[in-house]
């Protein structure tokens, strides 16, 4: 569905020294630097795949997303999406893709969302019967019954986001570009949006490409992770494989029936990450896991015990710091 | 034909959205109508004062000059009602990065941004402008030939094209510079000169107002056509200037879109 080879995007940016003198000089003579926002990226994405595009701010992930959707023209390299070159803005391709961003909205502000649906129907040339069917499918799934007739400006942020999603899906796109889709939403609304996106992917075999700083979005939506850092791919694979590669240790979360001193925890295999009188969090190597669990159950008043992988936030922080360190060597 | 039909249907939907928005804000509609009437009066006062003192100005009698004001007012309704609201919104789209959504739609982006917003209250200008044309022909005993009327209509259509292209050129600058509000304000001020017959301007001003900011072509030439005194040379100038502006506007827009780097990210 998406084929990317040696994709490069360089920007020319104006640079000047701080201070008034330098600012004045820059009015007459400017110095430019070349920023390698995306620097030789290659990957393949299949139909129906759910991809999480991760990276620190300024890593090049949004630039890549914009080149995939045709908004930015690559400096060099190959991109095809559904067999089309995005920068040509072929209408057939534009009918197959859509972009939803949590920070920008396309709904008509003064009119009810149903009017934006109608406008998109006309722009995407959706036959009336298919339009009815799509709206009838989306409205109950997202709980929009009372919202689509209310002017957009009177809706809450979460309600607007749900309507944004519906408006973006009127033409049943095959590729969804999602840029921070749950930013600013409350927990319930976030989980509604994530569940809906997963469901859309299942029902229509749509390819989903997500960029988000919210790791709950990533774990809930993406099955494969592409990590991009300073314009290059530093990881491409399954979410579990990333965690396994970076932090293979497991975490054992213990809850006690009565307070337990730190000296008793120190006797267990592994490292104590957090401790409170009635709680503790241990980091244990995979090989020591059985022994650690057995020992905890045997020697401590354990009321509850959970084994989990390292949180994605920690894994990524670790990955970014390692790649930064490798580059500085 | 299906392509034309599709774009006409799209235009219909966009106009409908603007009407629906206007109906949401009834008070705004009436206030804008009131302001339009006020501005029409303000446009006429200097001319009325001048023609109280003299019978002709640069060879134009009062009814003939009123024809120019009529075309000026009709074009002003097109500018304020159909061109300015949409294209001002483009500047906002560029600033906020929401132009991305428009560029990702499977339709011509220039068409979509140019038809996104209409201001129905400016129909008041249109009615007033047409009224002035009819009144001027009546009091001046101006009886145009069929050819004259056709030429005037064609020139008026061309003038709409020029006006739109100038606005596209100004808006395209918003891809390069952050603030174009002053430029749009500057053009609105210059456009006010279009209410005067072109022959009152001499020398460099006359050339500038024919070729650079072709106000003379837009309002004086249609008035000359209605009076059946438009020369072949003026007609050829009008065709040349109109074609140059429309082609130039489209070219600059396409170049600007290619350079658009989108906000944020």
């Amino acid at each position: 569905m998406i084929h990317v080879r040696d994709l490069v995007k360089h920007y020319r940016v104006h640079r000047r020294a701080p201070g008034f003198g330098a600012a004045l000089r820059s009015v007459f003579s400017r110095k430019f630097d070349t920023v390698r926002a995306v620097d030789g990226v290659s990957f393949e994405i299949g139909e129906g795949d759910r991809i999480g595009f991760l990276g620190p701010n300024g890593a090049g992930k949004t630039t890549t997303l914009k080149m995939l959707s045709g908004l930015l023209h690559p400096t060099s390299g190959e991109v095809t999406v559904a067999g089309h070159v995005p920068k040509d803005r072929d209408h057939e391709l534009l009918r197959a893709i859509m972009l939803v961003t949590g920070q920008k909205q396309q709904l008509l502000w003064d009119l009810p969302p149903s009017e934006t649906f109608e406008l998109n129907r006309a722009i995407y040339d959706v036959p009336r019967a298919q339009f009815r069917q799509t709206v009838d499918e989306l409205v109950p799934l997202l709980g929009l019954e009372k919202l689509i007739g209310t002017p957009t400006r009177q809706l809450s942020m979460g309600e607007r986001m749900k309507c944004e999603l519906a408006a973006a899906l009127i033409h049943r796109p095959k590729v969804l570009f999602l840029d921070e889709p749950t930013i600013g939403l409350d927990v319930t609304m976030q989980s509604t949006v994530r569940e809906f996106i997963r469901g859309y992917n299942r029902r229509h075999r749509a390819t989903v490409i997500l960029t988000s700083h919210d790791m709950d979005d990533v774990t809930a939506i993406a099955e494969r992770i592409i990590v991009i850092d300073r314009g290059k791919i530093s990881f491409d694979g399954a979410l579990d494989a990333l965690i396994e590669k970076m932090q293979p240790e497991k975490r054992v979360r213990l809850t006690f029936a009565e307070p337990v001193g730190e000296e008793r925890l120190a006797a267990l295999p592994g490292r104590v990450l957090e401790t409170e009188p009635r709680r503790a969090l241990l980091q244990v190597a995979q090989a020591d896991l059985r022994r650690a669990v057995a020992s905890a159950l045997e020697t401590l008043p354990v009321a509850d015990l959970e084994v989990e992988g390292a949180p994605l936030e920690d894994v990524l922080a670790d990955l970014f710091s390692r790649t930064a360190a490798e580059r500085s060597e | 034909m299906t392509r034309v039909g599709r774009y006409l249907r799209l235009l219909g939907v966009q106009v409908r959205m603007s009407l629906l928005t206007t109906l949401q804000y009834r008070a705004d509609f009436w206030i804008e109508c009131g302001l339009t009437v006020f501005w029409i009066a303000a446009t006429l006062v200097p001319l009325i004062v001048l023609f109280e003192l003299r019978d002709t100005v640069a060879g134009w009698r009062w009814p003939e000059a009123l024809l120019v004001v009529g075309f000026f007012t009709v074009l002003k309704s097109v500018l304020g009602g159909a061109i300015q609201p949409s294209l001002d919104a483009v500047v906002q789209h560029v600033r906020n990065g929401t132009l991305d959504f428009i560029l990702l739609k499977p339709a011509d982006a220039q068409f979509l941004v140019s038809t996104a917003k209409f201001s129905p209250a400016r129909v008041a200008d249109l009615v007033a402008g047409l009224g002035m044309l009819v009144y001027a022909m009546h009091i001046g005993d101006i009886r145009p030939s069929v050819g004259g009327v056709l030429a005037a209509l064609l020139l008026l259509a061309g003038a709409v094209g020029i006006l739109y292209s100038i606005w596209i050129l100004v808006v395209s600058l918003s891809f390069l510079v952050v603030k174009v509000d002053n430029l749009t304000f500057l053009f609105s001020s210059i456009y006010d000169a279009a209410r005067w017959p072109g022959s009152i301007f001499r020398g460099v001003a006359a050339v500038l107002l024919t070729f650079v900011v072709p106000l003379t072509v837009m309002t004086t030439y249609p008035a000359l056509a209605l009076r059946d005194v438009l020369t072949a040379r003026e007609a050829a100038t009008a065709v040349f200037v109109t074609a140059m502006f429309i082609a130039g506007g489209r070219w600059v827009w396409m170049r600007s879109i290619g350079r658009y780097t989108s906000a944020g990210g």
Side-chain angles (χ1 to χ4, degrees), chain B residues 28-69:
Chain B
D28 283 12
F29 176 81
W30 290 115
I31 289 170
E32 207 182 325
C33 283
L35 280 174
T36 301
V37 172
F38 170 79
W39 281 115
I40 291 166
T43 303
L44 283 171
V45 166
L47 274 101
I48 292 170
V49 170
L50 189 64
F51 280 98
E52 286 284 319
L53 301 173
R54 324 176 41 155
D55 286 338
T56 62
V57 176
W60 291 70
R61 295 181 299 128
W62 161 240
E64 294 160 357
L66 192 58
L67 284 180
V68 177
V69 183

Side-chain angles (χ1 to χ4, degrees), chain A residues 62 66 69 71-72 89 91 94-95 99 104-106 108 110-111 115 118-120 122-125 153, chain B residues 6 10 13-14 16-17 20-21 24-25 96-98 100-101 103-107 261-264:
Chain A
T62 305
K66 284 182 175 171
S69 57
L71 286 170
L72 288 180
R89 302 192 64 248
H91 285 188
L94 297 177
R95 274 181 229 280
L99 169 75
K104 300 168 194 169
Q105 63 147 18
Q106 63 163 328
L108 298 165
D110 295 307
L111 296 177
E115 299 296 346
E118 184 58 37
L119 179 63
N120 280 358
I123 291 175
Y124 285 97
D125 254 340
R153 64 191 148 80
Chain B
R6 173 168 180 247
L10 258 178
V13 173
Q14 301 261 59
R16 178 173 167 269
M17 297 297 160
L20 286 173
T21 308
Q24 296 254 348
Y25 301 102
N96 301 334
T98 42
D100 292 1
F101 292 123
L103 294 177
L104 288 180
K105 297 272 194 286
T261 52
S262 177

